[in-house]
Amino acid sequence: MTLVPEFQTSPGMRDILPPESARWQQFVHVFAQVSESAGYGQVISPLLEDLGVFQRIGDATDVVTKEMYDFVDKGGRHVALRPELTASVCRAFVQHRPLTPWKVWYTGSQFRYEKPQRGRYRQFDQVGIEVLGADDPYLDVEIIALGWAFFRALGLSKVTLLLNSLGEPADRARYVDALRAHFEANLIELSEASQQTLLKNPLRVLDSKRLEDAALIATAPRIAEYYSPEAAAHFAAVQAGLHALNIPFTVDAKLVRGLDYYRHTTFEYQGGTLESAQNALGGGGRYDGLVESLGGPATAGVGFALGLDRTLIACDDEGVFASPATDVDVFVVDTTGGLEALLLTNQLRAAGISADRAFENRSMKSQMKVADRSGATFAVIIGSNELDAGAVVVRPMRTGDTADSTLSGQSTIPRTELIEYLQKALS
Ligand code: AMP
Protein backbone atom coordinates (compact mmCIF):
# COMPACT_ATOMS: atom_id res chain seq x y z
CA MET A 1 0.00 0.00 0.00
CA THR A 2 1.41 3.40 -0.92
CA LEU A 3 1.16 5.94 1.80
CA VAL A 4 -0.71 9.15 0.92
CA PRO A 5 1.40 12.07 2.17
CA GLU A 6 -0.23 14.26 4.76
CA PHE A 7 0.39 17.39 2.71
CA GLN A 8 -0.17 17.82 -0.99
CA THR A 9 -0.61 20.85 -3.23
CA SER A 10 -3.96 22.65 -2.86
CA PRO A 11 -6.46 22.24 -5.71
CA GLY A 12 -5.39 24.20 -8.77
CA MET A 13 -1.81 24.59 -7.48
CA ARG A 14 1.12 22.61 -8.83
CA ASP A 15 4.78 21.86 -8.42
CA ILE A 16 6.66 22.44 -11.64
CA LEU A 17 9.51 19.96 -11.48
CA PRO A 18 12.56 19.40 -13.68
CA PRO A 19 12.74 18.93 -16.64
CA GLU A 20 9.40 20.80 -17.17
CA SER A 21 10.70 23.70 -15.08
CA ALA A 22 13.60 24.13 -17.54
CA ARG A 23 11.02 24.48 -20.29
CA TRP A 24 9.23 27.20 -18.34
CA GLN A 25 12.49 29.02 -17.79
CA GLN A 26 13.34 28.80 -21.47
CA PHE A 27 9.85 30.03 -22.37
CA VAL A 28 10.36 33.17 -20.29
CA HIS A 29 13.87 33.56 -21.70
CA VAL A 30 12.53 33.57 -25.27
CA PHE A 31 9.82 36.06 -24.30
CA ALA A 32 12.44 38.30 -22.66
CA GLN A 33 14.57 38.21 -25.80
CA VAL A 34 11.66 39.12 -28.06
CA SER A 35 10.55 41.97 -25.74
CA GLU A 36 14.01 43.34 -25.02
CA SER A 37 14.90 43.32 -28.70
CA ALA A 38 12.09 45.87 -29.05
CA GLY A 39 13.18 48.14 -26.19
CA TYR A 40 10.99 46.76 -23.41
CA GLY A 41 12.38 46.50 -19.87
CA GLN A 42 11.22 44.03 -17.26
CA VAL A 43 9.00 45.17 -14.40
CA ILE A 44 8.90 42.90 -11.36
CA SER A 45 5.76 43.55 -9.33
CA PRO A 46 4.70 42.30 -5.91
CA LEU A 47 2.39 39.29 -5.69
CA LEU A 48 0.24 41.16 -3.22
CA GLU A 49 -1.46 44.53 -3.67
CA ASP A 50 -4.19 46.52 -1.96
CA LEU A 51 -7.48 44.96 -3.00
CA GLY A 52 -8.53 48.34 -4.41
CA VAL A 53 -5.88 48.14 -7.15
CA PHE A 54 -7.71 45.18 -8.67
CA GLN A 55 -11.19 46.46 -7.94
CA ARG A 56 -10.40 49.26 -10.39
CA ILE A 57 -10.35 46.63 -13.16
CA GLY A 58 -14.14 46.67 -12.98
CA ASP A 59 -16.84 45.11 -10.91
CA ALA A 60 -18.53 43.23 -13.78
CA THR A 61 -15.73 40.70 -14.15
CA ASP A 62 -15.60 37.27 -12.52
CA VAL A 63 -11.90 37.89 -11.90
CA VAL A 64 -12.80 40.69 -9.48
CA THR A 65 -16.13 39.56 -8.07
CA LYS A 66 -15.66 35.82 -7.62
CA GLU A 67 -12.08 34.71 -8.12
CA MET A 68 -9.98 36.98 -5.96
CA TYR A 69 -7.72 35.58 -3.25
CA ASP A 70 -8.21 38.45 -0.83
CA PHE A 71 -7.75 38.70 2.90
CA VAL A 72 -7.08 41.15 5.69
CA ASP A 73 -3.40 41.09 6.70
CA LYS A 74 -2.00 41.40 10.20
CA GLY A 75 -1.90 45.19 9.82
CA GLY A 76 -5.60 45.34 8.98
CA ARG A 77 -5.05 46.05 5.26
CA HIS A 78 -7.42 44.41 2.82
CA VAL A 79 -5.03 42.88 0.27
CA ALA A 80 -5.26 40.43 -2.64
CA LEU A 81 -2.96 38.09 -4.51
CA ARG A 82 -2.76 39.53 -8.00
CA PRO A 83 -5.16 37.97 -10.53
CA GLU A 84 -3.41 39.74 -13.44
CA LEU A 85 -0.61 42.24 -13.94
CA THR A 86 -2.02 45.14 -15.94
CA ALA A 87 -3.47 46.80 -12.84
CA SER A 88 -0.19 46.36 -10.94
CA VAL A 89 1.78 47.88 -13.83
CA CYS A 90 -0.59 50.87 -13.90
CA ARG A 91 -0.31 51.24 -10.14
CA ALA A 92 3.49 51.20 -10.49
CA PHE A 93 3.28 53.83 -13.24
CA VAL A 94 1.25 56.15 -11.00
CA GLN A 95 3.60 55.54 -8.08
CA HIS A 96 6.91 56.05 -9.93
CA ARG A 97 5.95 58.36 -12.83
CA PRO A 98 8.47 56.99 -15.37
CA LEU A 99 9.11 58.76 -18.68
CA THR A 100 6.63 57.87 -21.39
CA PRO A 101 6.17 55.84 -23.43
CA TRP A 102 6.88 53.34 -20.67
CA LYS A 103 7.51 50.00 -22.35
CA VAL A 104 7.65 47.03 -20.00
CA TRP A 105 7.41 43.26 -20.06
CA TYR A 106 6.64 40.95 -17.18
CA THR A 107 6.32 37.36 -16.08
CA GLY A 108 5.04 35.65 -12.98
CA SER A 109 2.26 33.86 -11.18
CA GLN A 110 -1.32 35.05 -11.06
CA PHE A 111 -4.00 33.76 -8.70
CA ARG A 112 -7.66 33.18 -9.51
CA TYR A 113 -10.05 31.04 -7.53
CA GLU A 114 -11.42 29.14 -10.52
CA LYS A 115 -12.57 25.56 -11.01
CA PRO A 116 -9.38 23.70 -11.86
CA GLN A 117 -9.23 21.80 -15.14
CA ARG A 118 -6.74 21.23 -17.97
CA GLY A 119 -5.25 24.60 -18.87
CA ARG A 120 -7.02 26.31 -15.95
CA TYR A 121 -5.38 26.53 -12.54
CA ARG A 122 -5.69 28.66 -9.43
CA GLN A 123 -2.05 29.65 -9.64
CA PHE A 124 -0.83 30.07 -13.19
CA ASP A 125 1.93 31.95 -14.93
CA GLN A 126 1.74 34.58 -17.61
CA VAL A 127 4.14 36.61 -19.68
CA GLY A 128 3.02 39.95 -21.02
CA ILE A 129 3.86 43.47 -22.11
CA GLU A 130 2.32 46.87 -21.48
CA VAL A 131 3.05 50.31 -22.90
CA LEU A 132 1.79 53.38 -21.08
CA GLY A 133 1.67 56.88 -22.49
CA ALA A 134 1.34 56.49 -26.27
CA ASP A 135 -1.87 56.50 -28.28
CA ASP A 136 -0.59 55.40 -31.69
CA PRO A 137 -2.27 52.64 -33.72
CA TYR A 138 1.14 51.47 -34.91
CA LEU A 139 2.01 50.76 -31.29
CA ASP A 140 -0.98 48.39 -31.18
CA VAL A 141 0.51 46.76 -34.27
CA GLU A 142 3.99 46.57 -32.68
CA ILE A 143 2.55 44.82 -29.67
CA ILE A 144 0.48 42.35 -31.65
CA ALA A 145 3.53 41.67 -33.85
CA LEU A 146 5.73 40.99 -30.81
CA GLY A 147 3.28 38.35 -29.59
CA TRP A 148 3.26 36.93 -33.08
CA ALA A 149 7.08 36.88 -33.22
CA PHE A 150 7.13 35.14 -29.85
CA PHE A 151 4.89 32.33 -31.08
CA ARG A 152 7.11 31.98 -34.13
CA ALA A 153 10.20 31.86 -31.91
CA LEU A 154 8.63 28.97 -29.97
CA GLY A 155 8.05 27.19 -33.28
CA LEU A 156 4.25 27.57 -33.27
CA SER A 157 2.76 28.03 -36.72
CA LYS A 158 -0.95 27.39 -36.21
CA VAL A 159 -1.79 30.30 -33.90
CA THR A 160 -4.49 32.59 -35.26
CA LEU A 161 -5.24 36.19 -34.41
CA LEU A 162 -8.68 37.65 -33.71
CA LEU A 163 -9.04 41.40 -33.81
CA ASN A 164 -11.73 43.91 -32.90
CA SER A 165 -12.15 47.52 -31.91
CA LEU A 166 -14.43 48.75 -29.15
CA GLY A 167 -14.21 52.33 -30.45
CA GLU A 168 -13.84 55.47 -28.35
CA PRO A 169 -15.40 55.43 -24.87
CA ALA A 170 -18.38 57.47 -26.17
CA ASP A 171 -18.90 55.02 -29.08
CA ARG A 172 -18.68 52.18 -26.68
CA ALA A 173 -21.23 53.80 -24.36
CA ARG A 174 -23.73 54.24 -27.21
CA TYR A 175 -23.11 50.69 -28.30
CA VAL A 176 -23.59 49.36 -24.77
CA ASP A 177 -26.98 51.15 -24.62
CA ALA A 178 -28.00 49.54 -27.91
CA LEU A 179 -26.85 46.12 -26.73
CA ARG A 180 -28.72 46.48 -23.47
CA ALA A 181 -31.89 47.42 -25.34
CA HIS A 182 -31.45 44.40 -27.65
CA PHE A 183 -31.00 41.92 -24.82
CA GLU A 184 -33.67 43.46 -22.59
CA ALA A 185 -36.21 43.24 -25.41
CA ASN A 186 -35.55 39.48 -25.58
CA LEU A 187 -34.74 38.79 -21.95
CA ILE A 188 -36.46 35.42 -21.64
CA GLU A 189 -34.29 33.98 -24.41
CA LEU A 190 -31.17 34.75 -22.40
CA SER A 191 -29.62 32.30 -19.91
CA GLU A 192 -29.99 33.04 -16.21
CA ALA A 193 -26.25 33.75 -15.90
CA SER A 194 -26.24 36.15 -18.85
CA GLN A 195 -29.25 37.99 -17.42
CA GLN A 196 -27.12 38.63 -14.35
CA THR A 197 -24.18 39.76 -16.52
CA LEU A 198 -26.50 42.07 -18.44
CA LEU A 199 -27.30 43.98 -15.27
CA LYS A 200 -23.62 44.73 -14.75
CA ASN A 201 -22.18 44.98 -18.26
CA PRO A 202 -24.06 44.17 -21.48
CA LEU A 203 -20.77 43.85 -23.39
CA ARG A 204 -19.78 40.83 -21.37
CA VAL A 205 -22.90 39.00 -22.52
CA LEU A 206 -21.16 38.74 -25.91
CA ASP A 207 -18.46 36.69 -24.16
CA SER A 208 -20.99 34.02 -23.18
CA LYS A 209 -20.19 30.58 -24.59
CA ARG A 210 -23.57 29.19 -23.44
CA LEU A 211 -25.53 27.60 -26.26
CA GLU A 212 -28.86 29.12 -25.22
CA ASP A 213 -27.38 32.64 -25.66
CA ALA A 214 -25.98 32.03 -29.14
CA ALA A 215 -29.03 33.06 -31.19
CA LEU A 216 -29.52 36.36 -29.40
CA ILE A 217 -25.82 37.16 -29.60
CA ALA A 218 -25.82 36.46 -33.34
CA THR A 219 -28.57 39.05 -33.93
CA ALA A 220 -27.11 41.67 -31.55
CA PRO A 221 -26.09 45.08 -32.93
CA ARG A 222 -22.47 45.33 -34.15
CA ILE A 223 -19.93 47.69 -32.63
CA ALA A 224 -18.72 48.79 -36.08
CA GLU A 225 -21.99 50.65 -36.62
CA TYR A 226 -21.11 52.92 -33.68
CA TYR A 227 -17.52 53.92 -34.48
CA SER A 228 -16.71 57.64 -34.51
CA PRO A 229 -14.46 58.76 -37.43
CA GLU A 230 -11.46 58.73 -35.04
CA ALA A 231 -12.19 55.19 -33.89
CA ALA A 232 -12.71 54.00 -37.46
CA ALA A 233 -9.39 55.63 -38.51
CA HIS A 234 -7.52 54.03 -35.59
CA PHE A 235 -8.90 50.61 -36.43
CA ALA A 236 -8.13 51.04 -40.13
CA ALA A 237 -4.52 51.98 -39.31
CA VAL A 238 -4.11 48.91 -37.09
CA GLN A 239 -5.40 46.66 -39.86
CA ALA A 240 -3.18 48.36 -42.45
CA GLY A 241 -0.16 47.88 -40.17
CA LEU A 242 -0.90 44.19 -39.73
CA HIS A 243 -1.30 43.79 -43.48
CA ALA A 244 2.03 45.55 -44.01
CA LEU A 245 3.70 43.05 -41.67
CA ASN A 246 1.92 40.11 -43.31
CA ILE A 247 0.26 39.10 -40.05
CA PRO A 248 -3.03 37.40 -40.86
CA PHE A 249 -6.05 38.19 -38.67
CA THR A 250 -9.81 37.81 -38.54
CA VAL A 251 -12.03 40.65 -37.36
CA ASP A 252 -14.36 39.27 -34.68
CA ALA A 253 -17.03 41.77 -33.65
CA LYS A 254 -17.82 39.71 -30.54
CA LEU A 255 -14.31 39.99 -29.13
CA VAL A 256 -14.84 42.28 -26.12
CA ARG A 257 -12.34 40.54 -23.77
CA GLY A 258 -12.91 40.01 -20.09
CA LEU A 259 -11.94 43.26 -18.49
CA ASP A 260 -13.99 46.43 -18.50
CA TYR A 261 -11.36 48.99 -19.32
CA TYR A 262 -10.66 48.19 -22.98
CA ARG A 263 -11.18 50.70 -25.78
CA HIS A 264 -10.15 50.73 -29.44
CA THR A 265 -8.12 47.62 -30.28
CA THR A 266 -8.78 44.26 -28.63
CA PHE A 267 -7.17 41.05 -29.81
CA GLU A 268 -6.79 37.43 -28.91
CA TYR A 269 -4.36 34.72 -29.98
CA GLN A 270 -5.88 31.30 -30.41
CA GLY A 271 -4.11 27.97 -30.53
CA GLY A 272 -4.58 25.94 -33.68
CA THR A 273 -5.43 22.61 -32.15
CA LEU A 274 -6.79 23.14 -28.65
CA GLU A 275 -10.25 22.27 -27.45
CA SER A 276 -12.29 25.47 -27.43
CA ALA A 277 -12.39 25.89 -23.64
CA GLN A 278 -8.61 26.37 -23.55
CA ASN A 279 -8.31 27.89 -26.96
CA ALA A 280 -7.30 31.39 -25.91
CA LEU A 281 -3.53 31.47 -25.46
CA GLY A 282 -3.76 35.11 -24.49
CA GLY A 283 -4.87 38.48 -25.58
CA GLY A 284 -5.05 42.12 -24.77
CA GLY A 285 -5.83 45.49 -26.13
CA ARG A 286 -5.86 49.19 -25.61
CA TYR A 287 -7.22 50.61 -22.40
CA ASP A 288 -7.66 53.98 -20.84
CA GLY A 289 -9.03 55.16 -17.57
CA LEU A 290 -7.14 52.56 -15.57
CA VAL A 291 -4.15 54.79 -14.75
CA GLU A 292 -6.55 57.63 -13.99
CA SER A 293 -8.69 55.48 -11.72
CA LEU A 294 -5.55 54.59 -9.78
CA GLY A 295 -4.85 58.28 -9.16
CA GLY A 296 -2.64 59.12 -12.15
CA PRO A 297 -3.05 61.45 -15.13
CA ALA A 298 -5.16 60.38 -18.12
CA THR A 299 -2.81 57.94 -19.84
CA ALA A 300 -3.18 55.71 -22.86
CA GLY A 301 -2.26 52.07 -22.36
CA VAL A 302 -1.96 48.99 -24.50
CA GLY A 303 -0.73 45.48 -23.75
CA PHE A 304 -1.33 41.76 -23.67
CA ALA A 305 -0.82 38.73 -21.46
CA LEU A 306 -0.24 35.13 -22.52
CA GLY A 307 -0.73 32.05 -20.38
CA LEU A 308 2.23 29.69 -20.11
CA ASP A 309 0.07 26.62 -19.64
CA ARG A 310 -2.10 27.04 -22.69
CA THR A 311 0.79 28.15 -24.89
CA LEU A 312 2.78 25.09 -23.82
CA ILE A 313 -0.24 22.85 -24.51
CA ALA A 314 -0.33 24.40 -28.00
CA CYS A 315 3.40 23.63 -28.34
CA ASP A 316 2.75 20.00 -27.36
CA ASP A 317 -0.11 19.80 -29.85
CA GLU A 318 2.13 21.14 -32.62
CA GLY A 319 5.11 19.04 -31.46
CA VAL A 320 7.41 22.06 -30.99
CA PHE A 321 9.43 23.66 -28.17
CA ALA A 322 10.48 20.51 -26.31
CA SER A 323 12.14 20.74 -22.89
CA PRO A 324 15.68 21.99 -23.39
CA ALA A 325 18.50 19.58 -22.53
CA THR A 326 19.87 20.25 -19.07
CA ASP A 327 22.59 17.59 -19.10
CA VAL A 328 25.93 18.53 -17.62
CA ASP A 329 29.14 18.45 -19.68
CA VAL A 330 31.13 16.41 -17.20
CA PHE A 331 30.48 13.91 -14.43
CA VAL A 332 33.36 13.47 -11.99
CA VAL A 333 33.88 9.96 -10.61
CA ASP A 334 36.17 9.95 -7.58
CA THR A 335 37.06 6.71 -5.80
CA THR A 336 39.59 8.33 -3.45
CA GLY A 337 37.08 9.64 -0.90
CA GLY A 338 35.32 12.56 -2.59
CA LEU A 339 37.59 15.52 -1.85
CA GLU A 340 39.12 15.38 -5.34
CA ALA A 341 35.65 15.45 -6.87
CA LEU A 342 34.92 18.52 -4.75
CA LEU A 343 38.03 20.26 -6.08
CA LEU A 344 37.57 19.17 -9.69
CA THR A 345 33.88 20.08 -10.00
CA ASN A 346 34.64 23.45 -8.44
CA GLN A 347 37.48 24.06 -10.87
CA LEU A 348 35.47 22.92 -13.90
CA ARG A 349 32.43 25.04 -13.02
CA ALA A 350 34.65 28.10 -12.52
CA ALA A 351 35.97 27.54 -16.06
CA GLY A 352 32.42 27.46 -17.46
CA ILE A 353 32.19 23.68 -17.82
CA SER A 354 29.07 22.29 -16.15
CA ALA A 355 29.89 19.43 -13.83
CA ASP A 356 28.19 17.04 -11.44
CA ARG A 357 29.44 14.26 -9.18
CA ALA A 358 28.34 11.44 -6.91
CA PHE A 359 28.34 11.60 -3.13
CA GLU A 360 28.68 9.14 -0.25
CA ASN A 361 31.88 7.53 -1.56
CA ARG A 362 30.11 4.88 -3.62
CA SER A 363 31.87 2.16 -5.63
CA MET A 364 33.31 2.90 -9.06
CA LYS A 365 30.54 0.84 -10.66
CA SER A 366 27.79 2.65 -8.85
CA GLN A 367 29.29 6.09 -9.66
CA MET A 368 29.62 5.17 -13.33
CA LYS A 369 25.94 4.26 -13.39
CA VAL A 370 25.02 7.70 -12.10
CA ALA A 371 27.42 9.26 -14.59
CA ASP A 372 25.64 7.39 -17.34
CA ARG A 373 22.21 8.54 -16.17
CA SER A 374 23.40 12.15 -15.90
CA GLY A 375 23.67 12.47 -19.67
CA ALA A 376 27.17 14.00 -19.28
CA THR A 377 29.36 14.08 -22.39
CA PHE A 378 32.47 13.02 -20.45
CA ALA A 379 33.23 11.19 -17.23
CA VAL A 380 36.36 12.46 -15.51
CA ILE A 381 37.62 9.59 -13.37
CA ILE A 382 40.07 9.85 -10.52
CA GLY A 383 41.30 6.80 -8.53
CA SER A 384 44.32 6.41 -6.29
CA ASN A 385 46.69 5.73 -9.25
CA GLU A 386 45.59 8.89 -11.02
CA LEU A 387 45.78 10.87 -7.78
CA ASP A 388 49.42 9.77 -7.25
CA ALA A 389 50.29 10.55 -10.87
CA GLY A 390 48.58 13.99 -10.86
CA ALA A 391 46.32 12.83 -13.68
CA VAL A 392 42.70 11.97 -14.48
CA VAL A 393 41.05 9.62 -16.96
CA VAL A 394 38.64 11.29 -19.38
CA ARG A 395 36.07 8.86 -20.73
CA PRO A 396 33.62 9.84 -23.47
CA MET A 397 30.12 8.77 -22.43
CA ARG A 398 28.19 9.11 -25.64
CA THR A 399 30.38 7.45 -28.23
CA GLY A 400 27.34 5.99 -29.96
CA ASP A 401 25.96 9.26 -31.22
CA THR A 402 29.08 11.03 -32.41
CA ALA A 403 31.62 10.70 -35.16
CA ASP A 404 34.04 13.02 -33.33
CA SER A 405 37.38 11.22 -32.81
CA THR A 406 37.93 12.89 -29.41
CA LEU A 407 34.87 11.01 -28.21
CA SER A 408 35.93 7.59 -29.38
CA GLY A 409 38.28 6.43 -26.62
CA GLN A 410 39.40 7.26 -23.10
CA SER A 411 42.62 9.14 -22.36
CA THR A 412 44.77 9.84 -19.34
CA ILE A 413 45.37 13.58 -19.03
CA PRO A 414 47.57 15.53 -16.59
CA ARG A 415 45.29 17.49 -14.24
CA THR A 416 46.94 20.74 -15.24
CA GLU A 417 45.80 20.19 -18.82
CA LEU A 418 42.27 18.98 -18.05
CA ILE A 419 40.39 22.25 -18.51
CA GLU A 420 42.05 23.05 -21.83
CA TYR A 421 41.46 19.49 -23.03
CA LEU A 422 37.77 19.56 -22.14
CA GLN A 423 37.20 23.05 -23.51
CA LYS A 424 38.53 21.89 -26.85
CA ALA A 425 36.64 18.61 -26.80
CA LEU A 426 33.34 20.30 -25.86
CA SER A 427 33.55 23.14 -28.38
P1 AMP B 1 -6.77 37.03 -19.14
O1 AMP B 1 -5.85 37.76 -18.19
O2 AMP B 1 -8.00 36.50 -18.47
O3 AMP B 1 -7.01 37.78 -20.42
O4 AMP B 1 -5.98 35.71 -19.56
C1 AMP B 1 -4.90 35.74 -20.44
C2 AMP B 1 -4.39 34.34 -20.61
O5 AMP B 1 -3.93 33.84 -19.36
C3 AMP B 1 -5.42 33.32 -21.05
O6 AMP B 1 -5.59 33.34 -22.43
C4 AMP B 1 -4.80 32.03 -20.58
O7 AMP B 1 -3.80 31.58 -21.46
C5 AMP B 1 -4.16 32.45 -19.28
N1 AMP B 1 -5.06 32.15 -18.15
C6 AMP B 1 -6.07 32.88 -17.64
N2 AMP B 1 -6.63 32.26 -16.58
C7 AMP B 1 -5.94 31.11 -16.40
C8 AMP B 1 -6.02 30.01 -15.48
N3 AMP B 1 -6.90 30.02 -14.48
N4 AMP B 1 -5.14 28.99 -15.61
C9 AMP B 1 -4.21 28.98 -16.60
N5 AMP B 1 -4.09 29.98 -17.49
C10 AMP B 1 -4.94 31.03 -17.41
Side-chain angles (χ1 to χ4, degrees):
M1 203 182 79
T2 43
L3 216 59
V4 177
E6 185 182 354
F7 296 112
Q8 301 198 35
T9 46
S10 304
M13 310 259 168
R14 297 156 294 161
D15 299 307
I16 310 296
L17 306 177
E20 184 66 5
S21 51
R23 197 182 188 208
W24 279 46
Q25 208 174 32
Q26 181 66 7
F27 184 100
V28 173
H29 178 68
V30 173
F31 190 78
Q33 277 183 325
V34 169
S35 308
E36 288 177 3
S37 75
Y40 292 70
Q42 185 180 9
V43 60
I44 301 174
S45 307
L47 289 177
L48 202 75
E49 299 264 8
D50 279 341
L51 177 67
V53 171
F54 305 118
Q55 282 172 330
R56 300 298 194 279
I57 295 168
D59 59 8
T61 61
D62 287 352
V63 168
V64 173
T65 53
K66 295 193 200 135
E67 297 167 1
M68 201 85 86
Y69 275 90
D70 64 306
F71 59 95
V72 176
D73 76 4
K74 290 188 169 64
R77 293 173 207 89
H78 200 164
V79 292
L81 292 176
R82 65 186 185 205
E84 57 115 60
L85 264 160
T86 307
S88 297
V89 167
C90 289
R91 194 266 313 135
F93 179 83
V94 174
Q95 187 172 340
H96 304 290
R97 298 292 170 96
L99 289 177
T100 57
W102 196 43
K103 297 171 69 171
V104 297
W105 72 272
Y106 54 73
T107 183
S109 289
Q110 321 299 331
F111 300 84
R112 296 182 193 174
Y113 198 84
E114 296 194 82
K115 192 162 181 278
Q117 52 182 285
R118 184 170 191 245
R120 190 172 292 281
Y121 303 96
R122 289 183 176 166
Q123 178 175 349
F124 61 95
D125 275 44
Q126 288 183 334
V127 292
I129 56 184
E130 310 288 343
V131 182
L132 293 172
D135 193 6
D136 184 328
Y138 293 142
L139 176 58
D140 307 16
V141 178
E142 168 169 304
I143 282 187
I144 294 171
L146 287 174
W148 197 254
F150 174 60
F151 292 128
R152 286 288 176 275
L154 294 179
L156 288 168
S157 60
K158 294 190 183 138
V159 176
T160 53
L161 171 64
L162 298 180
L163 185 72
N164 192 22
S165 167
L166 296 176
E168 298 276 356
D171 311 341
R172 183 178 152 147
R174 284 186 297 126
Y175 177 57
V176 168
D177 287 345
L179 262 188
R180 186 182 293 113
H182 170 77
F183 289 126
E184 280 178 353
N186 303 280
L187 206 56
I188 45 167
E189 290 174 46
L190 217 51
S191 68
E192 192 76 30
S194 287
Q195 291 187 20
Q196 289 303 315
T197 310
L198 180 63
L199 294 175
K200 294 180 192 153
N201 184 350
L203 270 182
R204 294 289 319 280
V205 178
L206 296 179
D207 256 353
S208 164
K209 303 275 189 292
R210 294 178 193 88
L211 278 181
E212 60 262 51
D213 296 329
L216 215 51
I217 289 174
T219 56
R222 299 281 149 154
I223 180 77
E225 296 152 26
Y226 295 82
Y227 292 152
S228 60
E230 294 74 23
H234 189 108
F235 197 27
V238 171
Q239 295 184 58
L242 290 171
H243 281 308
L245 294 181
N246 285 321
I247 296 176
F249 61 89
T250 307
V251 174
D252 178 358
K254 296 204 298 291
L255 186 71
V256 295
R257 306 257 326 132
L259 308 180
D260 286 346
Y261 48 70
Y262 285 107
R263 64 187 272 261
H264 284 304
T265 315
T266 58
F267 59 95
E268 191 165 287
Y269 301 104
Q270 299 209 324
T273 51
L274 300 179
E275 314 108 70
S276 66
Q278 285 86 32
N279 206 14
L281 307 184
R286 193 164 265 292
Y287 48 87
D288 66 356
L290 192 54
V291 169
E292 226 174 334
S293 74
L294 288 162
T299 305
V302 60
F304 69 73
L306 307 175
L308 255 80
D309 295 293
R310 302 218 194 134
T311 308
L312 286 176
I313 292 174
C315 289
D316 291 340
D317 288 349
E318 288 200 34
V320 298
F321 196 65
S323 285
T326 51
D327 300 338
V328 288
D329 298 321
V330 170
F331 195 95
V332 176
V333 172
D334 173 10
T335 56
T336 69
L339 182 62
E340 297 309 317
L342 185 71
L343 293 170
L344 278 166
T345 47
N346 193 47
Q347 204 185 357
L348 290 168
R349 292 167 193 160
I353 298 169
S354 58
D356 198 0
R357 56 163 296 180
F359 289 96
E360 300 180 322
N361 202 16
R362 297 276 165 87
S363 70
M364 168 84 172
K365 193 170 157 208
S366 147
Q367 291 193 46
M368 282 310 294
K369 232 191 235 164
V370 188
D372 218 22
R373 229 187 300 136
S374 76
T377 310
F378 293 101
V380 167
I381 304 163
I382 183 157
S384 47
N385 291 345
E386 287 79 20
L387 184 58
D388 291 344
V392 291
V393 169
V394 177
R395 181 185 294 179
M397 300 297 286
R398 288 188 268 154
T399 45
D401 52 24
T402 178
D404 187 338
S405 64
T406 50
L407 293 179
S408 58
Q410 72 175 38
S411 340
T412 302
I413 313 280
R415 275 175 79 159
T416 48
E417 292 169 24
L418 178 65
I419 301 262
E420 204 185 332
Y421 178 89
L422 287 173
Q423 274 167 342
K424 221 180 260 164
L426 287 163
S427 64

